Amino acid sequence: MRPRWFTPWLYLLAPLALLVTFTYLPVLDMIGYSFTDWDGLSPTSDVVGLHNYTDLFTRPELFQVFTVSLFYLAGSAVQIAAALYFATVLSFRTRLRTLFKGILFFPYLINGVAVGFVFLYFFQPGGTLDTVLHQVGVGPRLWLGDPDLVNPSLAAVSVWRFMGLNMVLFIGAIQSIPPDLHEASALDGANRWQQFRHIIAPAIRPIIALSAILAISGSLSVFEIPFIMTGGANNSETFVIQTVKLAFTFDKTGLASAAAVVLLLIVLAVTWVQRRLFPDERVELT
């Protein structure tokens, strides 16, 4: 008996219903709120058209927070480079490689709130970091209180937490490479660097591109780590923290919705540009 054309859609019905209910419908509501002056509590609101967007683009201070994203973007580059290095090393025959994989991936499994509180003690004056640095003659610092140090410190926390996820993605991609290629290159006298440059890097290029897209979008929408550790103080406020404050502190849900829509459009635009500049290419390894 031939399967009916709608049979696959029956299996997709439940996940599609959840996706529409908890993703697309809230996005449509958010877009609708962005054209109103709703305060988040009143049962009624007035339509203000593009006033929220005009207000958003004519107040430079609302976009200055994007400079904080540059620290996280730089941290993402370090994160991807470190993940690629460890994934390559641990893909070869290395002693205790399973143990090291678990150690490096473990931070990603920890709840973000717990990570924030752990590093609050790590960075506090006289805390773990100051104690370690004191042993090499470095004096204490206000890691979360100094505007020049707070953003690099918070970006380093993000690198520590998410590097393991990228490493696992890279390891999975590297393991899909036929082992015969590694053996043949080793017989030809290729060292580890040459194997990485000519075999591994071209083969996992789509995964590297995916990680770069996730890194850029994540850098623009950082929230939980700085919110928990500093609350946006000392020039550590991100665009998302600012949006949350507009909605829940200043009761400007309409303006906050407009900011969220703008952030969504920026992320989509960056993703589109990156996909145009670095399109997926099927790599044939022979």
Side-chain angles (χ1 to χ4, degrees):
M1 182 177 178
R2 296 179 58 186
R4 297 179 179 179
W5 64 269
F6 57 83
T7 300
W9 292 100
L10 295 178
Y11 293 96
L12 294 173
L13 187 60
L16 285 177
L18 293 173
L19 180 65
V20 171
T21 302
F22 295 104
T23 300
Y24 294 121
L25 289 180
V27 169
L28 292 177
D29 285 339
M30 179 183 68
I31 295 173
Y33 294 146
S34 70
F35 296 104
T36 69
D37 62 353
W38 189 43
D39 60 4
L41 296 174
S42 301
T44 60
S45 60
D46 296 325
V47 177
V48 295
L50 297 177
H51 175 74
N52 288 326
Y53 292 95
T54 303
D55 191 20
L56 193 65
F57 284 101
T58 54
R59 294 169 61 184
E61 66 273 13
L62 296 180
F63 273 90
Q64 287 176 353
V65 292
F66 272 120
T67 57
V68 176
S69 300
L70 298 178
F71 291 94
Y72 294 95
L73 188 60
S76 298
V78 174
Q79 171 185 305
I80 291 176
L84 196 55
Y85 171 78
F86 285 115
T88 303
V89 171
L90 296 177
S91 294
F92 294 110
R93 295 187 179 276
T94 306
R95 293 185 59 185
L96 302 177
R97 60 177 178 174
T98 302
L99 174 63
F100 287 118
K101 289 178 184 178
I103 292 174
L104 294 173
F105 183 68
F106 178 72
Y108 179 70
L109 302 178
I110 305 176
N111 181 270
V113 176
V115 171
F117 281 110
V118 167
F119 276 92
L120 274 176
Y121 290 101
F122 182 78
F123 285 120
Q124 72 178 357
T128 305
L129 182 58
D130 282 343
T131 302
V132 173
L133 293 179
H134 178 72
Q135 303 303 318
V136 295
V138 178
R141 299 284 193 277
L142 293 175
W143 300 101
L144 301 180
D146 188 342
D148 295 329
L149 295 176
V150 60
N151 288 313
S153 301
L154 295 175
V157 176
S158 295
V159 171
W160 178 84
R161 185 185 179 200
F162 293 105
M163 190 272 293
L165 174 62
N166 285 287
M167 182 195 70
V168 169
L169 294 176
F170 292 148
I171 288 177
I174 292 173
Q175 289 178 344
S176 67
I177 301 174
D180 296 342
L181 292 177
H182 294 293
E183 297 174 1
S185 63
L187 291 175
D188 290 338
N191 56 32
R192 297 301 192 195
W193 165 248
Q194 291 171 331
Q195 290 182 18
F196 171 80
R197 179 181 178 184
H198 298 289
I199 297 177
I200 294 177
I204 67 172
R205 188 183 305 157
I207 304 301
I208 297 176
L210 173 62
S211 296
I213 292 174
L214 294 176
I216 294 175
S217 60
S219 300
L220 296 173
S221 56
V222 175
F223 173 68
E224 60 181 359
I225 294 297
F227 183 77
I228 293 167
M229 296 182 65
T230 65
N234 300 319
N235 294 331
S236 65
E237 186 174 78
T238 64
F239 192 79
V240 178
I241 292 178
Q242 177 181 260
T243 301
V244 170
K245 288 184 177 180
L246 287 174
F248 299 105
T249 302
F250 301 107
D251 296 330
K252 295 183 178 181
T253 303
L255 182 60
S257 298
V261 171
V262 170
L263 178 61
L264 175 63
L265 293 177
I266 291 174
V267 171
L268 292 177
V270 169
T271 303
W272 180 82
V273 170
Q274 189 169 16
R275 300 290 288 181
R276 295 287 294 179
L277 294 177
F278 305 100
D280 285 342
E281 297 179 4
R282 184 176 180 81
V283 180
E284 297 292 343
L285 296 175
T286 58

